[in-house]
Amino acid sequence: MASKTGFIRQTAPYLREPKANVKRMMYDVILALIPVVCFAFYKYRLNGLMIILTAVGSICLAEYLYYKFKKKPGTLKNGTALISGIIYALTLSDSIPLWAVFTGGVAGVYFSKLVFGGMGANIFNVAGFSRVFVMLSFGPLMQYKVDTVMSSTILGIANKTTAVTTLGNVSLFEMFLGINEPGSIGETSFLIILLAGIFLGIRKSLDWRVPVTIILTVFGLSFAVSLATGGPLLTYPMFTILSGGLIFGAVFMATDPITSPITATGRIYFGFGIGAITYLIRLYGALPEGVVYAILIMNMFTPALDYYKWSNPKFTKRSITIFSAVIIATVILVLVGV
Amino acid sequence: MIRKTNKITVDEKLRKNLPTVEIDPPEKVYITLIEMRLNSYELDVKEGDKVKLGECIGVKDGGFFTENIFSTVSGTVGQIVKKFNYSGKKVECLEIINDFQETKADTIKERTDQEIAQLTKDQFVDIIKDNGIKGLGGGGFPTYIKFATDAKIETIVLNGIECEPYMSADYQLVKKNSYEIFGGLKYAMNSMGISKGIIGVKETKKALLKALRKVQAEHFSDLNCEIIEVQDYYPQGWELELIKNVLGIKIKQGTLLSDYGLIEINVTTAVAIYNAVKYNHPVVERYFTITGTAVNKPCQMKVKVGEYVPRLIEAAGGYKTKEDKILVLGGPMMGANLLLDDAIIAVTNTSILVFEKGEPAEEPCIRCASCVYSCPTLLQPVQIMNAFKCKDIEAIKKLKIFNCIECGLCSYVCTSKIHLTEYMRKAKKLAK
Ligand code: SF4
Ligand code: SF4
């Protein structure tokens, strides 16, 4: 006999990939951040911890109150606020007062995420935006006064002395480990962040295309400079990718899928753009941590890279030609700057 | 997850080693009179008439082509009733009351090998047309049209892939009817003057490969036919994907296979061709699978075309629950949803799936791009969805929505569990 009831409507497909869910991705990112946080704690003790707690608190609180006020369901559960908070904290210097951390967090999440309509609708990376907000508003407070000799990161030193020839006394290996290297509280240990990145890559919780292209671009451009100036062929490029927040930005900020383009090709252009802008900032401006600016600038280009008339999941002859031309132009620009 | 996915995770218990059950012959069968692309019909019989198994009792018309209607049992013509079919809608069906005699129609007679050897292309096409043969992998496209082309056909590809998970109709068929598959292939090649045959089978289906190779070695060693193993992923059974993998030819979507000198048919269709040419026998039954989390005894069986779905469910031990369940006619990726089980089996149907309720909650898109990476036709499902939400028809068209084959992968992979495939269907309708 035919049953009269008991059926519900659903449309094909009737199966879903069990491993594909937002929670898994977010937990993975949190897991990957734990060692970085521990390292920050090891290096900066209570001060580091307070900065992290304040940053997380400010972003979560702002988001919570915003949705409470709007009488909409809360969104803290999805973990994005927590992650943004941690990442934001890790980009700050240990000398920053906590009230500045708090203000930056609230303003950052409000202007970069909440006003756009919450998770998924933001154009700018929340952590990056908050960090830049702090930098612009309270810049002088962000002194890196860790080392008696260096008043800025190693990067700042390298820029002042205009690079290439005077790298001898910086140990690449020490930079790789990041134990004694000054910098933002979480950005310094290349090794830990690299491992975190590999973990996320294996878990497919980040798109390897973005960090890999960024690193390759910076490496390539600095290699070209080395070649042109007759500097230390490999030491200088290695130094460039090891210093500053490059790897941190590449692994934890640029890979934020919400603010990256939606196609594989777009993500490669995006990574290239971040790498190139970071390098240009280092070359022309004396700004350390150009990577955050680069990410925010490329965030602005994301909608353009996704514009339906030219977004394409595969490379075409035309896009390869244009891309090659852009690469060549960038190299020329860099070489003119040296 | 951010990745390209083309493997479907399935519950092995619902797939492996399903028991084969015998099902009592039906008291009544219901023959679909209206089908996809065939929206009018003419019957040559009326209520009370006696009919025989395999007798042609009318014709369905779709404007561009027609298809003969056959009785799948011998017995008495009943009324025209409305039942659900794979379209998910109620359509007119002709009821035939079985006399259990299985008396065959007079038209069913064996052709001698000599007669068959002398068939011309036109005669071959006529036989296929007369026997109402169509794409039995589920496509349902009339097979005679594929063969009636004026283009020179060099290669015929038999699709033995059965790409959707949980389905086993082709598997059963290849195991038991390897001889007929080669037979159908040979007839097609001879009458059409096709020089090369290819059978594509998944490399994981060792039993099928073995069965086919054995028959080939024993009976068809002089036939220029190659059995090619292809990787087991979804949608390997999509004809363009299969052709790319067995022949290395990339076919542009929207062009005709015949322009490349190719014909592609399902293995079940090849068996139907064999029976049509050899015995002038239309398709009256087929292999079938019933499985899913909400039936008691997942199983496989041979069913009459025109079987009534509740009878089959009963044969599979009935539903596990009276509560909300999802009834699917076809595969888990592309099958049709039925809102009542008052439905019938058409010749193109291969499986029934019953799932417990379980559509996951959607979250906002996090732009992970898995849908873009996974789409076999290189579309950008998330962008089409966004364009659809803004009703931007120009963008929808520019994003090539009409290339979408509704394979379901975009919904399957979505990290935020968004039902993208449904958006694709809506966007298609909007842009039409
Ligand atoms: S359903 Fe359409 S858009 Fe989605 S993956 Fe399949 S072909 Fe691509
Ligand atoms: S629609 Fe789903 S799969 Fe596609 S980008 Fe958004 S979250 Fe990812």
Side-chain angles (χ1 to χ4, degrees):
Chain A
M1 263 305 291
S3 317
K4 288 260 175 316
T5 55
F7 300 99
I8 46 176
R9 196 183 132 74
Q10 194 172 318
T11 49
Y14 307 91
L15 301 175
R16 295 291 188 276
E17 167 63 51
K19 280 194 277 185
N21 62 65
V22 180
K23 266 217 190 85
R24 179 182 183 272
M25 251 172 98
M26 296 303 164
Y27 286 157
D28 277 358
V29 176
I30 292 172
L31 207 62
L33 280 168
I34 288 176
V36 190
V37 168
C38 290
F39 188 72
F41 182 62
Y42 161 78
K43 249 178 103 167
Y44 299 100
R45 304 291 148 155
L46 207 56
N47 191 18
L49 194 66
M50 286 311 291
I51 293 177
I52 294 172
L53 288 179
T54 313
V56 170
S58 63
I59 288 186
C60 289
L61 189 72
E63 190 166 315
Y64 174 77
L65 287 179
Y66 180 84
Y67 284 106
K68 186 108 189 156
F69 185 68
K70 288 238 149 180
K71 300 211 166 35
K72 286 202 191 131
T75 50
L76 293 183
K77 270 201 314 295
N78 64 35
T80 48
L82 174 63
I83 292 174
S84 301
I86 300 177
I87 294 178
Y88 161 54
L90 293 174
T91 62
L92 297 171
S93 112
D94 69 320
S95 61
I96 187 168
L98 294 182
W99 60 266
V101 176
F102 190 86
T103 321
V106 172
V109 71
Y110 182 74
F111 289 116
S112 71
K113 182 176 179 187
L114 299 176
V115 290
F116 285 101
M119 175 179 110
N122 46 312
I123 294 171
F124 292 108
N125 178 284
V126 178
F129 193 90
S130 305
R131 151 77 197 222
V132 167
F133 184 89
V134 169
M135 187 116 90
L136 296 181
S137 321
F138 322 112
L141 302 174
M142 290 279 277
Q143 291 298 326
Y144 295 95
K145 54 179 182 189
V146 192
D147 199 286
T148 45
V149 188
M150 302 179 175
S151 62
S152 179
T153 59
I154 291 178
L155 190 60
I157 301 281
N159 264 330
K160 277 183 210 133
T161 51
T162 352
V164 193
T165 45
T166 53
L167 298 171
N169 47 7
V170 186
S171 153
L172 282 179
F173 187 66
E174 224 162 74
M175 288 177 73
F176 182 70
L177 294 179
I179 305 284
N180 292 314
E181 184 199 354
S184 310
I185 64 172
E187 288 180 346
T188 45
S189 177
F190 191 93
L191 177 66
I192 291 181
I193 299 167
L194 181 70
L195 292 176
I198 292 174
F199 165 76
L200 290 175
I202 290 172
R203 295 275 295 170
K204 306 278 179 214
S205 290
L206 61 67
D207 195 333
W208 58 269
R209 291 173 183 85
V210 179
V212 169
T213 335
I214 294 177
I215 306 282
L216 282 182
T217 306
V218 173
F219 188 89
L221 290 176
S222 43
F223 188 71
V225 168
S226 263
L227 268 186
T229 56
L233 259 199
L234 281 177
T235 328
Y236 174 64
M238 285 308 288
F239 166 79
T240 325
I241 59 171
L242 286 176
S243 62
L246 183 70
I247 179 94
F248 185 85
V251 168
F252 286 113
M253 297 166 84
T255 53
D256 172 6
I258 294 170
T259 53
S260 329
I262 202 73
T263 56
T265 51
R267 286 186 176 174
I268 287 168
Y269 306 143
F270 179 75
F272 173 79
I274 293 176
I277 295 173
T278 308
Y279 191 73
L280 286 172
I281 289 178
R282 287 184 180 183
L283 209 61
Y284 283 100
L287 288 172
E289 322 281 330
V291 64
V292 179
Y293 284 105
I295 290 170
L296 292 183
I297 292 171
M298 286 313 290
N299 284 168
M300 277 191 308
F301 282 100
T302 297
L305 289 172
D306 282 346
Y307 183 51
Y308 70 87
K309 285 195 178 148
W310 50 64
S311 72
N312 192 329
K314 285 263 146 58
F315 283 110
T316 58
K317 270 205 192 96
R318 201 163 144 250
S319 60
I320 290 177
T321 319
I322 296 177
F323 190 37
S324 316
V326 171
I327 294 178
I328 293 169
T330 315
V331 173
I332 293 174
L333 194 63
V334 164
L335 292 183
V336 168
V338 173
Chain B
M1 293 263 259
I2 304 181
R3 68 158 189 205
K4 176 180 169 69
T5 297
N6 54 20
K7 295 262 194 304
I8 314 288
T9 311
V10 294
D11 186 345
E12 289 296 325
K13 280 201 299 299
L14 302 176
R15 192 183 72 84
K16 273 222 148 129
N17 306 324
L18 297 186
T20 304
V21 300
E22 290 280 331
I23 172 166
D24 296 334
E27 266 163 43
K28 285 178 188 171
V29 291
Y30 301 91
I31 308 297
T32 322
L33 300 175
I34 301 286
E35 293 201 60
M36 194 167 52
R37 306 190 197 99
L38 295 159
N39 38 31
S40 69
Y41 64 89
E42 229 170 89
L43 281 179
D44 305 334
V45 290
K46 55 183 188 313
E47 200 177 339
D49 282 359
K50 292 273 176 226
V51 291
K52 291 179 181 161
L53 182 149
E55 184 177 331
C56 179
I57 54 176
V59 61
K60 289 176 273 202
D61 195 340
F64 297 105
F65 47 83
T66 60
E67 188 184 301
N68 287 343
I69 306 173
F70 298 91
S71 172
T72 58
V73 293
S74 59
T76 321
V77 175
Q79 292 166 329
I80 291 176
V81 291
K82 282 201 148 187
K83 300 272 176 210
F84 286 98
N85 75 352
Y86 58 86
S87 64
K89 298 199 191 83
K90 274 201 164 180
V91 297
E92 286 165 70
C93 298
L94 182 67
E95 188 182 60
I96 297 174
I97 298 133
N98 197 354
D99 64 8
F100 303 104
Q101 301 301 315
E102 304 272 289
T103 325
K104 295 213 170 170
D106 313 327
T107 44
I108 298 180
K109 8 178 223 281
E110 189 168 343
R111 287 192 182 88
T112 63
D113 286 345
Q114 205 182 357
E115 272 177 285
I116 294 171
Q118 283 165 358
L119 286 178
T120 63
K121 175 182 157 187
D122 289 343
Q123 286 167 327
F124 174 77
V125 170
D126 280 343
I127 293 174
I128 293 184
K129 183 175 180 197
D130 290 344
N131 283 284
I133 292 174
K134 54 178 172 176
L136 295 178
F141 189 76
T143 306
Y144 80 87
I145 296 199
K146 288 191 181 177
F147 285 106
T149 169
D150 289 329
K152 171 85 189 106
I153 303 296
E154 311 274 343
T155 310
I156 176 167
V157 177
L158 296 200
N159 188 336
I161 299 301
E162 189 152 65
C163 73
E164 287 204 59
Y166 292 136
M167 315 195 33
S168 66
D170 287 358
Y171 187 83
Q172 300 173 61
L173 173 108
V174 178
K175 252 170 97 174
K176 291 176 195 142
N177 297 20
S178 289
Y179 182 86
E180 287 84 354
I181 293 175
F182 277 102
L185 177 65
K186 181 176 162 184
Y187 295 161
M189 286 170 69
N190 285 351
S191 348
M192 296 285 298
I194 299 172
S195 52
K196 184 160 180 59
I198 284 174
I199 307 181
V201 179
K202 284 184 188 170
E203 60 190 6
T204 44
K205 306 276 186 223
K206 297 286 179 231
L208 302 191
L209 289 162
K210 208 172 131 199
L212 285 169
R213 294 222 165 94
K214 184 158 173 267
V215 168
Q216 185 181 31
E218 280 169 13
H219 304 280
F220 296 94
S221 49
D222 51 346
L223 193 68
N224 180 15
C225 170
E226 205 180 329
I227 300 166
I228 298 187
E229 300 177 28
V230 293
Q231 283 175 337
D232 184 357
Y233 66 80
Y234 181 81
Q236 180 66 271
W238 177 35
E239 57 181 17
L240 302 195
E241 193 71 27
L242 179 66
I243 287 171
K244 188 176 87 196
N245 288 324
V246 295
L247 287 167
I249 301 177
K250 270 201 187 159
I251 296 194
K252 205 165 164 276
Q253 264 184 287
T255 53
L256 293 171
L257 288 189
S258 54
D259 294 345
Y260 300 80
L262 296 173
I263 281 187
E264 189 256 11
I265 58 172
N266 183 271
V267 283
T268 315
T269 313
V271 172
I273 291 176
Y274 175 83
N275 288 326
V277 173
K278 181 84 183 159
Y279 304 106
N280 215 28
H281 199 314
V283 182
V284 297
E285 57 185 6
R286 68 165 305 148
Y287 292 102
F288 205 79
T289 316
I290 302 183
T291 186
T293 46
V295 287
N296 282 316
K297 285 189 217 130
C299 58
Q300 44 193 20
M301 53 180 72
K302 212 171 188 183
V303 303
K304 281 269 185 214
V305 173
E307 259 290 6
Y308 190 43
V309 170
R311 259 176 50 85
L312 300 180
I313 299 282
E314 218 166 278
Y319 300 114
K320 259 191 200 157
T321 158
K322 279 203 166 56
E323 307 303 305
D324 299 349
K325 48 196 174 290
I326 299 139
L327 183 65
V328 181
L329 196 49
M333 298 301 284
M334 302 177 76
N337 179 224
L338 297 179
L339 285 177
L340 281 178
D341 60 5
D342 184 21
I344 56 105
I345 302 301
V347 69
T348 45
N349 300 148
T350 55
S351 60
I352 290 177
L353 304 166
V354 195
F355 293 114
E356 277 152 351
K357 186 176 147 182
E359 182 133 280
E362 286 189 9
E363 285 178 81
C365 166
I366 56 161
R367 299 175 44 87
C368 67
S370 290
C371 55
V372 182
Y373 289 176
S374 302
C375 175
T377 59
L378 302 181
L379 303 188
Q380 302 163 50
V382 53
Q383 301 241 67
I384 296 175
M385 169 178 79
N386 292 339
F388 172 77
K389 284 182 178 164
C390 313
K391 303 273 173 278
D392 186 347
I393 293 181
E394 196 201 326
I396 292 175
K397 285 190 179 151
K398 181 83 209 239
L399 288 164
K400 304 200 201 120
I401 183 66
F402 294 114
N403 279 0
C404 169
I405 54 170
E406 296 181 25
C407 67
L409 270 173
C410 45
S411 287
Y412 178 78
V413 300
C414 179
T415 307
S416 294
K417 308 283 174 202
I418 298 169
H419 198 348
L420 287 156
T421 312
E422 188 61 20
Y423 280 108
M424 299 308 114
R425 287 187 276 258
K426 285 187 194 150
K428 252 187 213 173
K429 265 196 208 122
L430 182 72
K432 217 167 241 170

